[in-house]
Amino acid sequence: QVQLVESGGGLVQAGGSLGLSCAASGSIFRINAMGWYRQVPGKQRELVATITGAGSTNYADSVKGRFTISRDNPKNTVYLQMNSLKPEDTAVYYCCAEVLTTPTRSLPYWGQGTQVTVSS
């Protein structure tokens, strides 16, 4: 009943920039926290950045100072601006949203993933 659609992935050279977006739609009463995760083959999915409904942010140490997470609440959209990209940032990036479909029912929903490849 809730869908998250991601866009913005692609290929970029090391040191370059890329912006991702993720829009939620469906039976949404309210969205609380939103975030971005990434995963490479053979490794566990890891947290990249989160943002609360009030706008407080948190970042993995590996991306602090390089990535910026933001949101547009009227559009139910979360963004990830990635600067100074490194080859080790290469991964499939997934967005996640904590969605209240009723005033008392909250569940996490995931996007389909978008590939980010950073060349040396």
Side-chain angles (χ1 to χ4, degrees):
Q1 62 180 359
V2 176
Q3 300 83 41
L4 275 64
V5 179
E6 303 175 29
S7 62
L11 175 65
V12 65
Q13 292 184 341
S17 298
L18 201 62
L20 307 180
S21 65
C22 174
S25 62
S27 300
I28 299 171
F29 175 74
R30 191 177 72 225
I31 300 178
N32 291 327
M34 305 184 80
W36 290 92
Y37 295 72
R38 66 188 182 188
Q39 188 170 28
V40 299
K43 293 189 65 178
Q44 187 81 352
R45 187 174 299 184
E46 66 174 354
L47 174 69
V48 176
T50 60
I51 184 167
T52 69
S56 297
T57 59
N58 184 60
Y59 298 91
D61 288 341
S62 60
V63 307
K64 285 181 179 177
R66 300 189 298 120
F67 291 11
T68 302
I69 188 171
S70 61
R71 64 190 290 168
D72 185 336
N73 289 335
K75 295 182 178 179
N76 291 328
T77 299
V78 62
Y79 305 93
L80 185 68
Q81 179 62 44
M82 303 181 291
N83 299 324
S84 301
L85 282 162
K86 305 174 181 179
E88 50 263 45
D89 294 318
T90 295
V92 177
Y93 284 69
Y94 299 88
C95 65
C96 183
E98 180 188 349
V99 179
L100 285 152
T101 55
T102 73
T104 58
R105 187 170 185 266
S106 178
L107 291 172
Y109 290 87
W110 292 88
Q112 80 281 4
T114 185
Q115 177 70 47
V116 172
T117 302
V118 184
S119 62
S120 301

